mmCIF file with all atom_site columns, all heavy atoms in Angstrom:
data_model
loop_
_atom_site.group_PDB
_atom_site.id
_atom_site.type_symbol
_atom_site.label_atom_id
_atom_site.label_alt_id
_atom_site.label_comp_id
_atom_site.label_asym_id
_atom_site.label_entity_id
_atom_site.label_seq_id
_atom_site.pdbx_PDB_ins_code
_atom_site.Cartn_x
_atom_site.Cartn_y
_atom_site.Cartn_z
_atom_site.occupancy
_atom_site.B_iso_or_equiv
_atom_site.pdbx_formal_charge
_atom_site.auth_seq_id
_atom_site.auth_comp_id
_atom_site.auth_asym_id
_atom_site.auth_atom_id
_atom_site.pdbx_PDB_model_num
ATOM 1   N N   . THR A 1 14 ? 91.772 -76.473 -220.844 1.00 95.00 ? 14 THR A N   1
ATOM 2   C CA  . THR A 1 14 ? 90.692 -75.722 -220.199 1.00 95.00 ? 14 THR A CA  1
ATOM 3   C C   . THR A 1 14 ? 90.474 -74.438 -220.959 1.00 95.00 ? 14 THR A C   1
ATOM 4   O O   . THR A 1 14 ? 91.425 -73.673 -221.184 1.00 95.00 ? 14 THR A O   1
ATOM 5   C CB  . THR A 1 14 ? 91.060 -75.428 -218.759 1.00 95.00 ? 14 THR A CB  1
ATOM 6   O OG1 . THR A 1 14 ? 91.203 -76.634 -218.001 1.00 95.00 ? 14 THR A OG1 1
ATOM 7   C CG2 . THR A 1 14 ? 89.954 -74.567 -218.057 1.00 95.00 ? 14 THR A CG2 1
ATOM 8   N N   . ILE A 1 15 ? 89.235 -74.192 -221.376 1.00 96.00 ? 15 ILE A N   1
ATOM 9   C CA  . ILE A 1 15 ? 88.896 -72.960 -222.104 1.00 96.00 ? 15 ILE A CA  1
ATOM 10  C C   . ILE A 1 15 ? 88.339 -71.951 -221.101 1.00 96.00 ? 15 ILE A C   1
ATOM 11  O O   . ILE A 1 15 ? 87.480 -72.243 -220.320 1.00 96.00 ? 15 ILE A O   1
ATOM 12  C CB  . ILE A 1 15 ? 87.871 -73.255 -223.206 1.00 96.00 ? 15 ILE A CB  1
ATOM 13  C CG1 . ILE A 1 15 ? 88.378 -74.396 -224.097 1.00 96.00 ? 15 ILE A CG1 1
ATOM 14  C CG2 . ILE A 1 15 ? 87.577 -72.016 -224.013 1.00 96.00 ? 15 ILE A CG2 1
ATOM 15  C CD1 . ILE A 1 15 ? 89.692 -74.136 -224.768 1.00 96.00 ? 15 ILE A CD1 1
ATOM 16  N N   . ARG A 1 16 ? 88.868 -70.742 -221.167 1.00 96.00 ? 16 ARG A N   1
ATOM 17  C CA  . ARG A 1 16 ? 88.438 -69.682 -220.203 1.00 96.00 ? 16 ARG A CA  1
ATOM 18  C C   . ARG A 1 16 ? 87.700 -68.547 -220.913 1.00 96.00 ? 16 ARG A C   1
ATOM 19  O O   . ARG A 1 16 ? 87.977 -68.215 -222.079 1.00 96.00 ? 16 ARG A O   1
ATOM 20  C CB  . ARG A 1 16 ? 89.632 -69.159 -219.460 1.00 96.00 ? 16 ARG A CB  1
ATOM 21  C CG  . ARG A 1 16 ? 90.293 -70.196 -218.588 1.00 96.00 ? 16 ARG A CG  1
ATOM 22  C CD  . ARG A 1 16 ? 91.416 -69.649 -217.712 1.00 96.00 ? 16 ARG A CD  1
ATOM 23  N NE  . ARG A 1 16 ? 92.009 -70.699 -216.863 1.00 96.00 ? 16 ARG A NE  1
ATOM 24  C CZ  . ARG A 1 16 ? 91.499 -71.015 -215.674 1.00 96.00 ? 16 ARG A CZ  1
ATOM 25  N NH1 . ARG A 1 16 ? 90.421 -70.397 -215.201 1.00 96.00 ? 16 ARG A NH1 1
ATOM 26  N NH2 . ARG A 1 16 ? 92.094 -71.977 -214.948 1.00 96.00 ? 16 ARG A NH2 1
ATOM 27  N N   . ASN A 1 17 ? 86.783 -67.939 -220.203 1.00 96.00 ? 17 ASN A N   1
ATOM 28  C CA  . ASN A 1 17 ? 86.049 -66.783 -220.685 1.00 96.00 ? 17 ASN A CA  1
ATOM 29  C C   . ASN A 1 17 ? 87.026 -65.623 -220.807 1.00 96.00 ? 17 ASN A C   1
ATOM 30  O O   . ASN A 1 17 ? 87.677 -65.246 -219.825 1.00 96.00 ? 17 ASN A O   1
ATOM 31  C CB  . ASN A 1 17 ? 84.968 -66.420 -219.685 1.00 96.00 ? 17 ASN A CB  1
ATOM 32  C CG  . ASN A 1 17 ? 84.043 -65.304 -220.150 1.00 96.00 ? 17 ASN A CG  1
ATOM 33  O OD1 . ASN A 1 17 ? 84.491 -64.435 -220.877 1.00 96.00 ? 17 ASN A OD1 1
ATOM 34  N ND2 . ASN A 1 17 ? 82.783 -65.377 -219.751 1.00 96.00 ? 17 ASN A ND2 1
ATOM 35  N N   . PRO A 1 18 ? 87.208 -65.052 -222.020 1.00 96.00 ? 18 PRO A N   1
ATOM 36  C CA  . PRO A 1 18 ? 88.157 -63.970 -222.208 1.00 96.00 ? 18 PRO A CA  1
ATOM 37  C C   . PRO A 1 18 ? 87.771 -62.689 -221.504 1.00 96.00 ? 18 PRO A C   1
ATOM 38  O O   . PRO A 1 18 ? 88.602 -61.783 -221.354 1.00 96.00 ? 18 PRO A O   1
ATOM 39  C CB  . PRO A 1 18 ? 88.199 -63.788 -223.762 1.00 96.00 ? 18 PRO A CB  1
ATOM 40  C CG  . PRO A 1 18 ? 86.951 -64.309 -224.211 1.00 96.00 ? 18 PRO A CG  1
ATOM 41  C CD  . PRO A 1 18 ? 86.529 -65.440 -223.292 1.00 96.00 ? 18 PRO A CD  1
ATOM 42  N N   . ALA A 1 19 ? 86.492 -62.590 -221.049 1.00 95.00 ? 19 ALA A N   1
ATOM 43  C CA  . ALA A 1 19 ? 86.086 -61.365 -220.378 1.00 95.00 ? 19 ALA A CA  1
ATOM 44  C C   . ALA A 1 19 ? 86.367 -61.433 -218.874 1.00 95.00 ? 19 ALA A C   1
ATOM 45  O O   . ALA A 1 19 ? 86.639 -60.410 -218.227 1.00 95.00 ? 19 ALA A O   1
ATOM 46  C CB  . ALA A 1 19 ? 84.592 -61.153 -220.576 1.00 95.00 ? 19 ALA A CB  1
ATOM 47  N N   . THR A 1 20 ? 86.318 -62.668 -218.282 1.00 94.00 ? 20 THR A N   1
ATOM 48  C CA  . THR A 1 20 ? 86.417 -62.768 -216.860 1.00 94.00 ? 20 THR A CA  1
ATOM 49  C C   . THR A 1 20 ? 87.550 -63.718 -216.392 1.00 94.00 ? 20 THR A C   1
ATOM 50  O O   . THR A 1 20 ? 87.962 -63.671 -215.219 1.00 94.00 ? 20 THR A O   1
ATOM 51  C CB  . THR A 1 20 ? 85.108 -63.335 -216.288 1.00 94.00 ? 20 THR A CB  1
ATOM 52  O OG1 . THR A 1 20 ? 84.942 -64.684 -216.757 1.00 94.00 ? 20 THR A OG1 1
ATOM 53  C CG2 . THR A 1 20 ? 83.943 -62.461 -216.671 1.00 94.00 ? 20 THR A CG2 1
ATOM 54  N N   . GLY A 1 21 ? 88.027 -64.582 -217.269 1.00 94.00 ? 21 GLY A N   1
ATOM 55  C CA  . GLY A 1 21 ? 89.047 -65.559 -216.885 1.00 94.00 ? 21 GLY A CA  1
ATOM 56  C C   . GLY A 1 21 ? 88.414 -66.804 -216.267 1.00 94.00 ? 21 GLY A C   1
ATOM 57  O O   . GLY A 1 21 ? 89.148 -67.771 -215.968 1.00 94.00 ? 21 GLY A O   1
ATOM 58  N N   . ALA A 1 22 ? 87.115 -66.830 -216.058 1.00 95.00 ? 22 ALA A N   1
ATOM 59  C CA  . ALA A 1 22 ? 86.452 -68.003 -215.448 1.00 95.00 ? 22 ALA A CA  1
ATOM 60  C C   . ALA A 1 22 ? 86.454 -69.185 -216.448 1.00 95.00 ? 22 ALA A C   1
ATOM 61  O O   . ALA A 1 22 ? 86.503 -68.985 -217.687 1.00 95.00 ? 22 ALA A O   1
ATOM 62  C CB  . ALA A 1 22 ? 84.997 -67.644 -215.128 1.00 95.00 ? 22 ALA A CB  1
ATOM 63  N N   . VAL A 1 23 ? 86.463 -70.379 -215.884 1.00 96.00 ? 23 VAL A N   1
ATOM 64  C CA  . VAL A 1 23 ? 86.481 -71.563 -216.732 1.00 96.00 ? 23 VAL A CA  1
ATOM 65  C C   . VAL A 1 23 ? 85.139 -71.729 -217.488 1.00 96.00 ? 23 VAL A C   1
ATOM 66  O O   . VAL A 1 23 ? 84.091 -71.706 -216.859 1.00 96.00 ? 23 VAL A O   1
ATOM 67  C CB  . VAL A 1 23 ? 86.734 -72.842 -215.860 1.00 96.00 ? 23 VAL A CB  1
ATOM 68  C CG1 . VAL A 1 23 ? 86.596 -74.109 -216.714 1.00 96.00 ? 23 VAL A CG1 1
ATOM 69  C CG2 . VAL A 1 23 ? 88.091 -72.754 -215.216 1.00 96.00 ? 23 VAL A CG2 1
ATOM 70  N N   . ALA A 1 24 ? 85.277 -71.866 -218.821 1.00 96.00 ? 24 ALA A N   1
ATOM 71  C CA  . ALA A 1 24 ? 84.090 -72.057 -219.652 1.00 96.00 ? 24 ALA A CA  1
ATOM 72  C C   . ALA A 1 24 ? 83.841 -73.585 -219.852 1.00 96.00 ? 24 ALA A C   1
ATOM 73  O O   . ALA A 1 24 ? 82.698 -74.006 -220.121 1.00 96.00 ? 24 ALA A O   1
ATOM 74  C CB  . ALA A 1 24 ? 84.219 -71.341 -220.944 1.00 96.00 ? 24 ALA A CB  1
ATOM 75  N N   . GLY A 1 25 ? 84.887 -74.364 -219.851 1.00 96.00 ? 25 GLY A N   1
ATOM 76  C CA  . GLY A 1 25 ? 84.743 -75.816 -220.054 1.00 96.00 ? 25 GLY A CA  1
ATOM 77  C C   . GLY A 1 25 ? 86.093 -76.374 -220.493 1.00 96.00 ? 25 GLY A C   1
ATOM 78  O O   . GLY A 1 25 ? 87.158 -75.719 -220.525 1.00 96.00 ? 25 GLY A O   1
ATOM 79  N N   . THR A 1 26 ? 86.086 -77.689 -220.754 1.00 96.00 ? 26 THR A N   1
ATOM 80  C CA  . THR A 1 26 ? 87.345 -78.346 -221.195 1.00 96.00 ? 26 THR A CA  1
ATOM 81  C C   . THR A 1 26 ? 87.072 -79.040 -222.528 1.00 96.00 ? 26 THR A C   1
ATOM 82  O O   . THR A 1 26 ? 85.939 -79.349 -222.861 1.00 96.00 ? 26 THR A O   1
ATOM 83  C CB  . THR A 1 26 ? 87.802 -79.402 -220.161 1.00 96.00 ? 26 THR A CB  1
ATOM 84  O OG1 . THR A 1 26 ? 86.748 -80.372 -220.011 1.00 96.00 ? 26 THR A OG1 1
ATOM 85  C CG2 . THR A 1 26 ? 88.151 -78.770 -218.824 1.00 96.00 ? 26 THR A CG2 1
ATOM 86  N N   . VAL A 1 27 ? 88.123 -79.250 -223.289 1.00 96.00 ? 27 VAL A N   1
ATOM 87  C CA  . VAL A 1 27 ? 88.032 -79.898 -224.593 1.00 96.00 ? 27 VAL A CA  1
ATOM 88  C C   . VAL A 1 27 ? 89.117 -80.916 -224.737 1.00 96.00 ? 27 VAL A C   1
ATOM 89  O O   . VAL A 1 27 ? 90.242 -80.726 -224.207 1.00 96.00 ? 27 VAL A O   1
ATOM 90  C CB  . VAL A 1 27 ? 88.100 -78.832 -225.670 1.00 96.00 ? 27 VAL A CB  1
ATOM 91  C CG1 . VAL A 1 27 ? 89.464 -78.133 -225.705 1.00 96.00 ? 27 VAL A CG1 1
ATOM 92  C CG2 . VAL A 1 27 ? 87.810 -79.448 -227.060 1.00 96.00 ? 27 VAL A CG2 1
ATOM 93  N N   . ARG A 1 28 ? 88.832 -81.996 -225.420 1.00 96.00 ? 28 ARG A N   1
ATOM 94  C CA  . ARG A 1 28 ? 89.848 -82.989 -225.746 1.00 96.00 ? 28 ARG A CA  1
ATOM 95  C C   . ARG A 1 28 ? 90.226 -82.775 -227.220 1.00 96.00 ? 28 ARG A C   1
ATOM 96  O O   . ARG A 1 28 ? 89.401 -82.788 -228.087 1.00 96.00 ? 28 ARG A O   1
ATOM 97  C CB  . ARG A 1 28 ? 89.296 -84.415 -225.581 1.00 96.00 ? 28 ARG A CB  1
ATOM 98  C CG  . ARG A 1 28 ? 90.322 -85.484 -226.030 1.00 96.00 ? 28 ARG A CG  1
ATOM 99  C CD  . ARG A 1 28 ? 89.861 -86.886 -225.600 1.00 96.00 ? 28 ARG A CD  1
ATOM 100 N NE  . ARG A 1 28 ? 89.886 -87.063 -224.176 1.00 96.00 ? 28 ARG A NE  1
ATOM 101 C CZ  . ARG A 1 28 ? 90.967 -87.288 -223.455 1.00 96.00 ? 28 ARG A CZ  1
ATOM 102 N NH1 . ARG A 1 28 ? 92.158 -87.431 -224.050 1.00 96.00 ? 28 ARG A NH1 1
ATOM 103 N NH2 . ARG A 1 28 ? 90.922 -87.467 -222.161 1.00 96.00 ? 28 ARG A NH2 1
ATOM 104 N N   . TRP A 1 29 ? 91.492 -82.543 -227.445 1.00 97.00 ? 29 TRP A N   1
ATOM 105 C CA  . TRP A 1 29 ? 91.982 -82.251 -228.798 1.00 97.00 ? 29 TRP A CA  1
ATOM 106 C C   . TRP A 1 29 ? 92.114 -83.522 -229.588 1.00 97.00 ? 29 TRP A C   1
ATOM 107 O O   . TRP A 1 29 ? 92.411 -84.618 -229.069 1.00 97.00 ? 29 TRP A O   1
ATOM 108 C CB  . TRP A 1 29 ? 93.309 -81.520 -228.740 1.00 97.00 ? 29 TRP A CB  1
ATOM 109 C CG  . TRP A 1 29 ? 93.248 -80.215 -227.951 1.00 97.00 ? 29 TRP A CG  1
ATOM 110 C CD1 . TRP A 1 29 ? 93.922 -79.993 -226.774 1.00 97.00 ? 29 TRP A CD1 1
ATOM 111 C CD2 . TRP A 1 29 ? 92.513 -79.070 -228.244 1.00 97.00 ? 29 TRP A CD2 1
ATOM 112 N NE1 . TRP A 1 29 ? 93.638 -78.735 -226.344 1.00 97.00 ? 29 TRP A NE1 1
ATOM 113 C CE2 . TRP A 1 29 ? 92.751 -78.133 -227.196 1.00 97.00 ? 29 TRP A CE2 1
ATOM 114 C CE3 . TRP A 1 29 ? 91.636 -78.689 -229.265 1.00 97.00 ? 29 TRP A CE3 1
ATOM 115 C CZ2 . TRP A 1 29 ? 92.199 -76.864 -227.166 1.00 97.00 ? 29 TRP A CZ2 1
ATOM 116 C CZ3 . TRP A 1 29 ? 91.063 -77.442 -229.219 1.00 97.00 ? 29 TRP A CZ3 1
ATOM 117 C CH2 . TRP A 1 29 ? 91.314 -76.505 -228.223 1.00 97.00 ? 29 TRP A CH2 1
ATOM 118 N N   . THR A 1 30 ? 91.931 -83.390 -230.868 1.00 97.00 ? 30 THR A N   1
ATOM 119 C CA  . THR A 1 30 ? 91.996 -84.528 -231.811 1.00 97.00 ? 30 THR A CA  1
ATOM 120 C C   . THR A 1 30 ? 93.458 -84.807 -232.171 1.00 97.00 ? 30 THR A C   1
ATOM 121 O O   . THR A 1 30 ? 94.203 -83.840 -232.518 1.00 97.00 ? 30 THR A O   1
ATOM 122 C CB  . THR A 1 30 ? 91.199 -84.241 -233.090 1.00 97.00 ? 30 THR A CB  1
ATOM 123 O OG1 . THR A 1 30 ? 89.853 -83.984 -232.697 1.00 97.00 ? 30 THR A OG1 1
ATOM 124 C CG2 . THR A 1 30 ? 91.254 -85.449 -234.033 1.00 97.00 ? 30 THR A CG2 1
ATOM 125 N N   . ASP A 1 31 ? 93.876 -86.039 -232.155 1.00 97.00 ? 31 ASP A N   1
ATOM 126 C CA  . ASP A 1 31 ? 95.211 -86.371 -232.643 1.00 97.00 ? 31 ASP A CA  1
ATOM 127 C C   . ASP A 1 31 ? 95.138 -86.274 -234.194 1.00 97.00 ? 31 ASP A C   1
ATOM 128 O O   . ASP A 1 31 ? 94.302 -86.869 -234.831 1.00 97.00 ? 31 ASP A O   1
ATOM 129 C CB  . ASP A 1 31 ? 95.534 -87.795 -232.243 1.00 97.00 ? 31 ASP A CB  1
ATOM 130 C CG  . ASP A 1 31 ? 96.952 -88.247 -232.617 1.00 97.00 ? 31 ASP A CG  1
ATOM 131 O OD1 . ASP A 1 31 ? 97.519 -87.649 -233.535 1.00 97.00 ? 31 ASP A OD1 1
ATOM 132 O OD2 . ASP A 1 31 ? 97.465 -89.165 -232.018 1.00 97.00 ? 31 ASP A OD2 1
ATOM 133 N N   . PRO A 1 32 ? 96.042 -85.481 -234.803 1.00 97.00 ? 32 PRO A N   1
ATOM 134 C CA  . PRO A 1 32 ? 96.014 -85.347 -236.261 1.00 97.00 ? 32 PRO A CA  1
ATOM 135 C C   . PRO A 1 32 ? 96.060 -86.696 -236.980 1.00 97.00 ? 32 PRO A C   1
ATOM 136 O O   . PRO A 1 32 ? 95.481 -86.877 -238.088 1.00 97.00 ? 32 PRO A O   1
ATOM 137 C CB  . PRO A 1 32 ? 97.284 -84.534 -236.584 1.00 97.00 ? 32 PRO A CB  1
ATOM 138 C CG  . PRO A 1 32 ? 97.499 -83.721 -235.315 1.00 97.00 ? 32 PRO A CG  1
ATOM 139 C CD  . PRO A 1 32 ? 97.093 -84.657 -234.204 1.00 97.00 ? 32 PRO A CD  1
ATOM 140 N N   . ALA A 1 33 ? 96.680 -87.687 -236.383 1.00 97.00 ? 33 ALA A N   1
ATOM 141 C CA  . ALA A 1 33 ? 96.780 -89.036 -236.978 1.00 97.00 ? 33 ALA A CA  1
ATOM 142 C C   . ALA A 1 33 ? 95.424 -89.712 -237.052 1.00 97.00 ? 33 ALA A C   1
ATOM 143 O O   . ALA A 1 33 ? 95.245 -90.658 -237.828 1.00 97.00 ? 33 ALA A O   1
ATOM 144 C CB  . ALA A 1 33 ? 97.766 -89.896 -236.203 1.00 97.00 ? 33 ALA A CB  1
ATOM 145 N N   . ASP A 1 34 ? 94.439 -89.222 -236.236 1.00 98.00 ? 34 ASP A N   1
ATOM 146 C CA  . ASP A 1 34 ? 93.084 -89.840 -236.299 1.00 98.00 ? 34 ASP A CA  1
ATOM 147 C C   . ASP A 1 34 ? 92.213 -89.252 -237.357 1.00 98.00 ? 34 ASP A C   1
ATOM 148 O O   . ASP A 1 34 ? 91.142 -89.770 -237.648 1.00 98.00 ? 34 ASP A O   1
ATOM 149 C CB  . ASP A 1 34 ? 92.418 -89.657 -234.944 1.00 98.00 ? 34 ASP A CB  1
ATOM 150 C CG  . ASP A 1 34 ? 92.976 -90.564 -233.859 1.00 98.00 ? 34 ASP A CG  1
ATOM 151 O OD1 . ASP A 1 34 ? 93.599 -91.574 -234.223 1.00 98.00 ? 34 ASP A OD1 1
ATOM 152 O OD2 . ASP A 1 34 ? 92.819 -90.232 -232.646 1.00 98.00 ? 34 ASP A OD2 1
ATOM 153 N N   . VAL A 1 35 ? 92.603 -88.143 -237.943 1.00 98.00 ? 35 VAL A N   1
ATOM 154 C CA  . VAL A 1 35 ? 91.725 -87.469 -238.917 1.00 98.00 ? 35 VAL A CA  1
ATOM 155 C C   . VAL A 1 35 ? 91.453 -88.303 -240.147 1.00 98.00 ? 35 VAL A C   1
ATOM 156 O O   . VAL A 1 35 ? 90.271 -88.349 -240.566 1.00 98.00 ? 35 VAL A O   1
ATOM 157 C CB  . VAL A 1 35 ? 92.353 -86.091 -239.323 1.00 98.00 ? 35 VAL A CB  1
ATOM 158 C CG1 . VAL A 1 35 ? 91.541 -85.448 -240.468 1.00 98.00 ? 35 VAL A CG1 1
ATOM 159 C CG2 . VAL A 1 35 ? 92.364 -85.133 -238.096 1.00 98.00 ? 35 VAL A CG2 1
ATOM 160 N N   . PRO A 1 36 ? 92.403 -89.054 -240.728 1.00 98.00 ? 36 PRO A N   1
ATOM 161 C CA  . PRO A 1 36 ? 92.058 -89.921 -241.843 1.00 98.00 ? 36 PRO A CA  1
ATOM 162 C C   . PRO A 1 36 ? 91.003 -90.919 -241.512 1.00 98.00 ? 36 PRO A C   1
ATOM 163 O O   . PRO A 1 36 ? 90.099 -91.206 -242.340 1.00 98.00 ? 36 PRO A O   1
ATOM 164 C CB  . PRO A 1 36 ? 93.435 -90.561 -242.190 1.00 98.00 ? 36 PRO A CB  1
ATOM 165 C CG  . PRO A 1 36 ? 94.420 -89.607 -241.716 1.00 98.00 ? 36 PRO A CG  1
ATOM 166 C CD  . PRO A 1 36 ? 93.834 -88.995 -240.489 1.00 98.00 ? 36 PRO A CD  1
#
Side-chain angles (χ1 to χ4, degrees):
T14 298
I15 306 301
R16 296 185 179 276
N17 185 328
T20 65
V23 174
T26 59
V27 64
R28 176 171 293 279
W29 303 114
T30 303
D31 186 336
D34 286 339
V35 172

